[in-house]
Amino acid sequence: MQGGLHLPPSSPWKRALSLPFSALQVFVRKLRKAYGKSEWSTVERLKDNKPSYKLDHIVKERYPTFIDALRDLDDALSMCFLFSTFPRTGKCHVQIIQLCRRLSVEFLNYVIASRSLRKVFLSIKGIYYQAEVLGQPITWITPYAFAHDHPTDVDYRVMATFTEFYTTLLGFVNFRLYHSLNLLYPPKIEGQSEVELKPTEGEAYAMDSESYLEKLSALSASLARVVAPTPEDDVEMDEFPVEGETAEQMDARKKEQEVLEKQKKLFEGLRFFLNREVPREPLAFIIRCFGGQVSWDKSLCIGATYDVSDPSITHQIVDRPRLEQQVVGRYYLQPQWVFDSVNAKLCLPVADYFPGVLLPPHLSPFVTEQEGDYIPPEKLKLLAMQRGENAGEESEEEEEEEEEDDNDDDDEEEEEEEDDSEKEEETKLKKMEEQKTQSKALPVKVTAGKVRLEDKQRLEQEQQSEEKRLAIMMMKKREKYLYKKIMFGKKRKVREANKLAEKRKAHDTAIKEEKKKNKKARRA
Amino acid sequence: MEWYQDFPHIGYDLEGKKIYKPIRNKDELDKFLEKMENPDYWRTVQDKMTGADIKLTDEQVDLVHRLQKGQFGDVHFDPYEPAIDFFSHEVMIHPVTNRPADKRSFIPSLIEKEKVSKLVHAIKMGWIKPRKPKEDTPTYYDLWAHEDPNSILGRHKMHVPAPKMKLPGHEESYNPPPEYLPSEEEKLAWEQQEPAERKLNFVPRQYRCLRAVPAYSRFIHERFERCLDLYLCPRQRKMRVNVDPEDLIPKLPKPRDLQPFPTTQALVYRGHSSLVRCLSICPGGQWLVSGSDDCTVRFWEVSTARCMKTLPLAGVVKSISWNPNPTICLVAIAVEQSVLLVNPSLGDKLLYGATDQLLESYVAPEEERVQPVQWVAATTEEHGKGIRLVVQHSRPVKQVTWHGKGDYFASVLADNSNMQVLIHQTSKRWSQNPFRKSKGLVQCVLFHPIRPYFFVATQRYVRVYNLLKQELTKKLMTNCKWVSSMAIHPGGDNIICGSYDSKLAWFDLDLSTRPYQLLRHHKKALRSVAFHKHYPLFASGSDDGSVIVCHGMVYNDLLQNPLLVPVKVLKGHALTWDLGVLDVLFHPTQPWVFSSGADGTVRLFT
């Protein structure tokens, strides 16, 4: 089937599509017949009259409100970004790939215009982005820009069907999003008419039909608006206290808002230059999302706005072990700095990210540690920095680490205590027994009694734990099962956290020892 | 030529005779030498027919070169000669042919006319329709311009939105903290796991810089699997139990408020060399008697743990029971096939003297009655040991128990006929078999403390018989696999049953024939259970070596259900041959509990 409609009979999509689907079947049958008879005019005629179908009503049916559509946008975006990286040969129709590329670029431009990017993460699978659109977190992943090793055990027809639906959805969403920002849709680049956009030089960068999308996908220019924004537009929102909200909560909300505003202007006033070895698109996207200016080598991509030699460049993103000549007055940084800064919501100290330097670990911004979870020390450091504490002093950190470790140990002990207390009792009883037997066997001898200091707290604790154990005995079978399951899960979590902490400790000590050895070696 | 490779000839002449291959006069060495020395070697070709070497001339070499280049063989042939157009649109003065034009080129074609008329007819009939105008609606528009959240169609009413994909953790980073990197063993374990069982679907890796990160080979796979999940996996609303585990623990009264109950081990009665199977205590609470597998019965003073008396017997002591009547000092002991009635001669001399007198005052009836057992008076030797009467059964005796008044006692035989339970009367020295039919293997029997009821526990049921009316009043379902022991509340309305499948069933006789509560406190089989005479306590001893004391309050108000709270787990007995506690017993007046174990000791917890 041309459209790649390959659906199992039970699929609800198939039911919704059944009418145009049968027409398509008829069309394909006719076409095949015409081909078989070599009736080329018929083939032409049939192709001209190819029945088309639309998925609009399905989108509307699935997502009755716009928010519903936004909520389900994760997969659509990931799929479109994947398809836009496919080669224009073989695997699927070129039109679909082009459409995916166009829609994804449009979405990126929207995110830039609305400055709604929140989190980014360099994973081994690809780059994760999280944007907040109308209060909905939207997460998508893009693969690294390499050729795909197309697997053979994947049914591309299924993927193409999904993509067809997703492109429809994403198109409508983009339309609505652009209009919500008073932007033109399809997007226009600000300040330039289309004529101007055509390459003036003799060498053609791309075909006329494609150059516009290329320009757009360079992500370097802002978009044209229907109504020119005026400063009066940014009216301060009046604050209405939400019902049932305490003053504290309101303060917290306010603070959060402030942090958010600050994050949105993270790179404002900074001028970046991307070296040719760093991935251009993600970095340009991120930097522009936070208000920075970005440029790259002219030969790398269309849309470069300034040159390497520009003295106003503040940061140059570099990903090579060392640089031959460096210009004074700008930082040479590895790309991870941009990502970490965005996640930390502040410009991190640059010293850790110089070219050739061993980078600090890159942490996932999607992890929110609950109580009792393992928190890597880097995260603690970062949290301290966010709170505005000076985390530069190493000793403090170490103390913190140690404290944390101690806490972990305590937890373990507590756990063990429960098990131990029974054993302890037994051993006590045994001791008493032994004493008694001894007293029977040995000649009677009275020694001065020792005042046994009994830890009252401990006794109380023991008693409480025993009470708990007795109460657990009285639980109903089903509840007991549930309780045991919950406790098992909790214990496993603690165990995992402890394991990670232990591993970290071992790693740190190993590194310390190596350092010492190196020092010694240097001295000797 | 290659067809003749393996033959001596290279073909046939006209007469059909073989043409033999020319004699090879050159070997490899010759060839090599020639190659090295002959300057014209490169243009020398061997004629395979004659075997002669032919030197190509310059023209011939040239020809070969041209052919190799794909040019014409003839040097003088020009492929690009200007073509002379004979048949062109230009009208020449001298036409190529002088044929006059056909007539058919002047008259309209009939075939075409037919075709056109067919088309016209088809159009008239509406068979051919004009091409549909291309739709010029924009592909994208404001789809949600009139959104109405209430206009959800029927089948989306219970719409379950697709769960979002799990967000990546620290371990997925291209440069994760070192603790997230797997060690060699973890990696190996990961590889050996089934793909579906893996916790992570990738191995965390560390790259020094972004430049070094390769493409993820399973990216398309993962997207595809996500697609499959979306359209093939049925979705289900799962109610997550979001409960605080602390809330699940029932709120029970604190054990501290339920005192008194035994809490610590006070005394250990040592002396037996094998498992102590059974315990009994005198109604005054001063003497304890224990029977063991070492074929002895020992009498202990409770308060001092002193062994007052040892009574060696012929066999393993299976059961022992002190007469509950405080005016009689008599102990029934089940040894092999007989029940011995022993006067321990402990305590008040008047009391045990009176007991002896009572036994001696028996006058045999005139006519001998047929009895299922034989009552034999003890021999003088036995009399010296304290044995007064021997009730000889036909089968080994498993259990012996007294009636509350102290005159009757019942014995259980290891048999599967209707002779399993016998009731004996001491004063008249006669026995009777209350049952006509066997209703299963009897585990233990019990007299009701107040009313004339008799409890018989078989493997799975407890039957309650009315001895006066001689009928079955109730049958209690224990919900256990195998009942091991049974005890009755002194009030007489509640029964507890211990079973080998580590359950303890509490029956409220007024409530129902099913257990009011089934307690699974022990980890192993229950061996015995006991009620306290005065305090609201009951205890159970099990193979896991522990005695669990529970508070079992029974209210006089019929509407209020009994309150069962475990108050103490008592440990002390060592496990021997996988056996722990074999018997538990409460002191008749104090909140003390005795337990006898497989380690040959009796312990007192106070």
Side-chain angles (χ1 to χ4, degrees):
Chain A
M1 182 65 44
Q2 301 269 313
L5 279 162
H6 175 75
L7 293 171
S10 61
S11 165
W13 289 25
K14 179 155 177 178
R15 257 181 285 140
L17 282 177
S18 60
L19 217 135
F21 191 62
S22 62
L24 262 181
Q25 270 181 331
V26 171
F27 163 75
V28 168
R29 211 183 314 135
K30 279 182 180 166
L31 198 69
R32 201 180 294 141
K33 202 170 174 184
Y35 263 114
K37 289 181 174 176
S38 311
E39 291 171 353
W40 306 122
S41 58
T42 323
V43 168
E44 282 301 303
R45 186 171 50 78
L46 283 173
K47 273 189 176 170
D48 260 6
N49 290 336
K50 184 184 172 187
S52 64
Y53 55 90
K54 281 189 160 185
L55 300 176
D56 305 7
H57 62 288
I58 296 179
V59 173
K60 184 79 203 257
E61 193 184 288
R62 299 222 122 199
Y63 308 111
T65 63
F66 183 54
I67 295 294
D68 290 337
L70 281 182
R71 239 177 249 155
D72 244 11
L73 209 60
D74 290 13
D75 294 308
L77 278 171
S78 300
M79 196 64 126
C80 280
F81 274 99
L82 171 66
F83 262 66
S84 61
T85 58
F86 276 178
R88 314 260 159 129
T89 49
K91 290 298 166 202
C92 55
H93 286 267
V94 179
Q95 289 94 322
I96 285 191
I97 295 170
Q98 276 172 345
L99 184 63
C100 282
R101 175 76 187 148
R102 205 191 93 202
L103 291 171
S104 50
V105 164
E106 280 170 9
F107 185 78
L108 289 186
N109 271 307
Y110 165 77
V111 172
I112 290 174
S114 64
R115 296 215 176 164
S116 50
L117 192 68
R118 293 288 172 270
K119 289 167 182 175
V120 282
F121 179 49
L122 289 167
S123 117
I124 53 172
K125 294 181 179 176
I127 304 175
Y128 285 91
Y129 303 90
Q130 190 173 56
E132 203 180 292
V133 180
L134 303 182
Q136 297 294 330
I138 296 173
T139 318
W140 72 94
I141 180 174
T142 61
Y144 287 114
F146 291 104
H148 291 288
D149 180 16
H150 285 284
T152 48
D153 53 343
V154 162
D155 192 349
Y156 278 89
R157 289 181 301 174
V158 172
M159 299 240 284
T161 312
F162 269 92
T163 312
E164 217 178 319
F165 176 73
Y166 285 152
T167 49
T168 320
L169 169 66
L170 194 57
F172 285 118
V173 169
N174 276 349
F175 186 92
R176 175 90 179 210
L177 286 176
Y178 271 72
H179 281 258
S180 70
L181 278 192
N182 274 335
L183 293 170
L184 286 172
Y185 189 87
K188 295 263 183 309
I189 290 168
E190 199 177 33
Q192 285 164 310
S193 66
E194 255 186 85
V195 188
E196 274 178 66
L197 277 172
K198 278 178 189 163
T200 45
E201 304 101 63
E203 38 143 3
Y205 178 80
M207 277 180 352
D208 281 356
S209 57
E210 285 177 355
S211 69
Y212 184 68
L213 182 63
E214 288 293 327
K215 195 96 186 182
L216 201 64
S217 61
L219 303 172
S220 65
S222 41
L223 303 175
R225 289 174 188 262
V226 179
V227 186
T230 50
E232 283 155 30
D233 277 358
D234 303 328
V235 184
E236 284 258 326
M237 292 286 275
D238 286 339
E239 302 236 340
F240 296 102
V242 182
E243 244 178 85
E245 201 178 42
T246 59
E248 273 178 39
Q249 279 173 322
M250 212 152 85
D251 276 356
R253 205 159 54 101
K254 242 184 191 173
K255 225 176 205 174
E256 217 168 89
Q257 206 78 27
E258 267 173 34
V259 169
L260 198 71
E261 285 303 317
K262 221 173 155 189
Q263 194 200 1
K264 276 183 185 176
K265 292 172 182 165
L266 183 63
F267 294 146
E268 207 126 282
L270 302 184
R271 280 165 82 84
F272 289 84
F273 188 83
L274 306 180
N275 255 23
R276 55 170 59 251
E277 71 273 6
V278 299
R280 187 196 65 83
E281 197 177 293
L283 276 168
F285 169 61
I286 293 164
I287 291 167
R288 293 255 299 126
C289 269
F290 294 97
Q293 277 176 300
V294 65
S295 182
W296 45 84
D297 199 274
K298 217 190 290 169
S299 59
L300 184 66
C301 182
I302 203 169
T305 43
Y306 44 88
D307 206 39
V308 206
S309 49
D310 196 323
S312 62
I313 291 172
T314 56
H315 295 74
Q316 187 165 346
I317 309 296
V318 172
D319 198 1
R320 28 180 111 174
R322 86 183 85 73
L323 274 180
E324 292 307 320
Q325 42 183 337
Q326 298 194 351
V327 179
V328 182
R330 64 175 79 160
Y331 292 120
Y332 286 87
L333 295 173
Q334 296 207 38
Q336 197 189 319
W337 180 81
V338 177
F339 290 84
D340 281 351
S341 295
V342 167
N343 291 339
K345 298 175 184 169
L346 47 94
C347 282
L348 291 175
V350 289
D352 296 338
Y353 298 92
F354 286 146
V357 161
L358 188 66
L359 289 167
H362 179 58
L363 298 174
S364 166
F366 302 110
V367 182
T368 44
E369 276 91 356
Q370 263 120 27
E371 218 178 292
D373 284 355
Y374 172 73
I375 310 177
E378 286 85 10
K379 180 105 179 186
L380 288 173
K381 210 163 134 190
L382 184 74
L383 288 175
M385 216 187 285
Q386 276 172 347
R387 268 180 266 125
E389 287 164 26
N390 185 17
E393 288 162 41
E394 293 264 317
S395 58
E396 256 183 35
E397 280 162 42
E398 271 169 37
E399 272 173 19
E400 263 184 18
E401 267 173 54
E402 277 168 15
E403 269 174 25
E404 199 207 357
D405 289 348
D406 288 353
N407 287 343
D408 285 353
D409 291 351
D410 284 349
D411 289 352
E412 263 177 273
E413 273 170 31
E414 269 169 43
E415 251 175 71
E416 280 165 15
E417 255 169 41
E418 280 182 26
D419 301 344
D420 283 350
S421 54
E422 287 174 26
K423 280 180 200 168
E424 272 173 32
E425 256 176 57
E426 227 169 283
T427 46
K428 259 189 205 168
L429 287 178
K430 262 186 197 167
K431 265 185 197 169
M432 275 163 66
E433 233 175 79
E434 276 171 12
Q435 279 172 358
K436 259 174 211 163
T437 49
Q438 276 176 356
S439 63
K440 256 189 197 172
L442 291 171
V444 181
K445 192 177 161 191
V446 180
T447 48
K450 276 182 194 167
V451 181
R452 247 178 86 195
L453 282 172
E454 284 205 322
D455 198 351
K456 267 190 183 172
Q457 262 190 343
R458 192 175 167 81
L459 261 177
E460 207 166 285
Q461 225 174 24
E462 255 172 44
Q463 203 170 16
Q464 270 179 359
S465 72
E466 198 191 334
E467 270 172 28
K468 201 171 157 190
R469 229 175 314 127
L470 289 171
I472 288 169
M473 284 199 325
M474 274 311 278
M475 276 161 104
K476 276 176 199 155
K477 200 175 173 187
R478 193 185 303 158
E479 282 177 356
K480 205 188 218 165
Y481 172 74
L482 188 66
Y483 179 81
K484 276 189 178 163
K485 226 172 148 184
I486 292 173
M487 290 322 266
F488 176 77
K490 274 191 174 174
K491 273 188 185 171
R492 189 177 49 190
K493 234 181 183 177
V494 171
R495 224 182 304 134
E496 271 167 18
N498 287 343
K499 200 177 158 195
L500 283 176
E502 224 166 77
K503 242 176 154 182
R504 178 68 184 214
K505 224 177 179 178
H507 181 262
D508 284 354
T509 48
I511 280 189
K512 260 185 199 168
E513 267 173 33
E514 210 163 278
K515 265 188 191 170
K516 266 186 197 169
K517 253 188 208 169
N518 283 350
K519 255 188 195 172
K520 270 184 192 173
R522 242 182 274 157
R523 271 182 209 166
Chain B
M1 291 297 271
E2 60 264 24
W3 296 341
Y4 299 98
Q5 254 174 9
D6 299 335
F7 298 101
H9 57 280
I10 50 167
Y12 303 91
D13 58 8
L14 286 174
E15 282 136 30
K17 280 178 186 166
K18 287 175 182 170
I19 303 169
Y20 285 92
K21 276 181 186 168
I23 299 152
R24 272 231 307 266
N25 49 3
K26 276 186 195 164
D27 55 4
E28 294 294 319
L29 196 62
D30 285 329
K31 271 187 201 167
F32 178 71
L33 284 176
E34 202 182 338
K35 189 176 173 181
M36 290 288 110
E37 288 164 5
N38 191 355
D40 290 332
Y41 179 77
W42 62 275
R43 57 162 65 176
T44 316
V45 178
Q46 196 193 26
D47 186 354
K48 278 189 181 153
M49 289 284 277
T50 58
D53 287 343
I54 300 163
K55 208 174 103 185
L56 299 180
T57 60
D58 281 347
E59 290 88 59
Q60 281 167 329
V61 170
D62 218 26
L63 178 68
V64 169
H65 276 309
R66 272 207 307 283
L67 289 179
Q68 274 177 341
K69 278 183 197 164
Q71 291 169 344
F72 288 96
D74 191 359
V75 194
H76 307 294
F77 180 76
D78 181 11
Y80 304 113
E81 271 178 358
I84 298 151
D85 230 356
F86 285 106
F87 302 98
S88 69
H89 62 284
E90 282 164 29
V91 181
M92 291 184 283
I93 354 165
H94 304 293
V96 185
T97 62
N98 204 9
R99 203 160 162 267
D102 273 327
K103 184 188 173 188
R104 65 169 180 267
S105 62
F106 299 106
I107 53 170
S109 157
L110 279 177
I111 299 167
E112 276 176 13
K113 190 185 163 193
E114 200 179 350
K115 272 186 181 168
V116 168
S117 69
K118 261 186 186 171
L119 284 176
V120 167
H121 182 64
I123 289 169
K124 271 184 188 168
M125 297 300 286
W127 297 335
I128 294 179
K129 281 176 209 130
R131 205 166 281 167
K132 268 183 227 158
K134 289 268 177 202
E135 277 185 52
D136 53 352
T137 50
T139 35
Y140 299 122
Y141 50 92
D142 195 356
L143 188 69
W144 293 280
H146 314 285
E147 66 183 23
D148 176 14
N150 300 323
S151 72
I152 301 169
L153 288 180
R155 79 186 147 92
H156 291 304
K157 233 170 212 164
M158 280 299 287
H159 178 61
V160 187
K164 296 206 170 191
M165 278 190 89
K166 220 182 130 223
L167 288 172
H170 297 313
E171 61 277 352
E172 208 182 309
S173 166
Y174 85 103
N175 183 15
E179 60 269 32
Y180 288 97
L181 293 173
S183 60
E184 284 301 317
E185 301 114 55
E186 283 169 331
K187 245 185 231 173
L188 214 68
W190 185 89
E191 270 158 25
Q192 278 166 356
Q193 265 177 334
E194 285 287 315
E197 281 174 4
R198 287 170 186 164
K199 222 174 167 195
L200 295 174
N201 54 5
F202 59 93
V203 182
R205 287 206 53 187
Q206 189 174 31
Y207 298 98
R208 290 279 160 225
C209 52
L210 188 59
R211 188 181 67 239
V213 185
Y216 181 58
S217 60
R218 288 192 54 82
F219 194 92
I220 296 178
H221 272 285
E222 278 180 14
R223 293 305 336 157
F224 178 61
E225 271 157 25
R226 172 71 177 167
C227 287
L228 293 188
D229 283 351
L230 283 178
Y231 92 109
L232 289 178
C233 286
R235 288 181 209 149
Q236 186 186 16
R237 259 179 226 279
K238 220 174 191 178
M239 299 308 282
R240 267 211 172 277
V241 268
N242 197 7
V243 279
D244 186 16
E246 299 302 320
D247 293 346
L248 286 175
I249 299 173
K251 295 276 166 289
L252 294 175
K254 294 225 161 162
R256 227 174 300 153
D257 308 336
L258 301 175
Q259 271 164 348
F261 54 82
T263 50
T264 49
Q265 178 175 285
L267 288 173
V268 181
Y269 303 81
R270 286 172 196 281
H272 283 295
S273 58
S274 185
L275 353 156
V276 185
R277 274 200 191 274
C278 43
L279 283 176
S280 189
I281 192 160
C282 83
Q286 197 184 357
W287 313 105
L288 180 73
V289 60
S290 64
S292 159
D293 270 14
D294 59 2
C295 304
T296 58
V297 168
R298 279 170 189 266
F299 293 88
W300 314 85
E301 189 174 16
V302 167
S303 51
T304 56
R306 225 174 108 197
C307 180
M308 303 302 289
K309 220 172 173 188
T310 310
L311 186 63
L313 292 170
V316 171
V317 181
K318 282 282 170 60
S319 174
I320 202 161
S321 180
W322 201 298
N323 195 323
N325 191 342
T327 59
I328 298 171
C329 185
L330 205 59
V331 178
I333 302 167
V335 180
E336 291 188 334
Q337 300 202 350
S338 53
V339 174
L340 311 177
L341 294 182
V342 175
N343 187 344
S345 313
L346 289 172
D348 196 351
K349 201 167 181 181
L350 274 176
L351 204 72
Y352 63 77
T355 309
D356 276 351
Q357 278 179 5
L358 193 76
L359 288 175
E360 278 158 19
S361 67
Y362 166 73
V363 185
E366 283 108 49
E367 48 182 297
E368 195 81 3
R369 277 189 296 184
V370 184
Q371 289 200 32
V373 296
Q374 268 187 311
W375 288 76
V376 180
T379 56
T380 43
E381 190 193 336
E382 283 174 340
H383 200 280
K385 283 192 203 165
I387 300 170
R388 297 292 178 261
L389 280 172
V390 180
V391 188
Q392 284 172 345
H393 294 67
S394 53
R395 301 275 170 161
V397 182
K398 277 204 294 196
Q399 193 216 351
V400 57
T401 179
W402 284 98
H403 182 257
K405 292 266 169 55
D407 192 16
Y408 289 93
F409 68 92
S411 61
V412 180
L413 308 190
D415 188 10
N416 48 10
S417 68
N418 61 338
M419 288 276 283
Q420 285 186 80
V421 182
L422 295 173
I423 295 180
H424 314 274
Q425 191 177 12
T426 327
S427 56
K428 292 187 181 161
R429 294 195 189 176
W430 82 285
S431 312
Q432 56 181 340
N433 175 16
F435 300 119
R436 233 169 296 142
K437 259 200 286 186
S438 150
K439 289 275 176 66
L441 212 58
V442 176
Q443 297 303 311
C444 53
V445 295
L446 202 66
F447 285 102
H448 193 282
I450 309 157
R451 266 161 278 173
Y453 288 135
F454 188 57
F455 299 86
V456 178
T458 54
Q459 267 185 31
R460 312 197 53 170
Y461 306 104
V462 176
R463 290 185 171 79
V464 187
Y465 294 96
N466 191 331
L467 289 175
L468 277 185
K469 291 183 185 165
Q470 302 202 340
E471 64 180 14
L472 179 73
T473 36
K474 245 174 208 169
K475 184 177 162 192
L476 309 176
M477 328 282 181
T478 59
N479 287 0
C480 304
K481 292 272 153 47
W482 196 310
V483 171
S484 64
S485 53
M486 180 169 58
I488 187 158
H489 189 265
D493 278 343
N494 295 281
I495 288 185
I496 49 174
C497 276
S499 79
Y500 289 117
D501 50 350
S502 61
K503 288 182 204 161
L504 189 146
W506 174 290
F507 290 97
D508 195 333
L509 291 181
D510 299 334
L511 208 65
S512 105
T513 58
R514 298 203 170 267
Y516 159 65
Q517 222 164 32
L518 212 56
L519 310 175
R520 292 179 190 80
H521 295 169
H522 285 285
K523 292 194 180 70
K524 283 187 182 170
L526 263 80
R527 287 279 163 181
S528 83
V529 289
F531 262 116
H532 198 280
K533 279 244 167 64
H534 304 298
Y535 292 103
L537 291 174
F538 64 92
S540 54
S542 146
D543 277 352
D544 58 8
S546 66
V547 175
I548 293 182
V549 182
C550 299
H551 178 89
M553 189 64 183
V554 176
Y555 300 96
N556 287 332
D557 180 8
L558 279 176
L559 289 175
Q560 204 163 2
N561 284 330
L563 171 77
L564 309 183
V565 183
V567 287
K568 189 71 192 171
V569 180
L570 299 167
K571 290 187 176 180
H573 285 288
L575 292 186
T576 331
W577 303 311
D578 272 348
L579 294 175
V581 179
L582 293 175
D583 200 3
V584 288
L585 181 73
F586 274 106
H587 192 275
T589 50
Q590 299 292 330
W592 297 347
V593 69
F594 299 93
S595 69
S596 71
D599 54 354
T601 59
V602 178
R603 283 157 204 261
L604 167 65
F605 299 93
T606 57

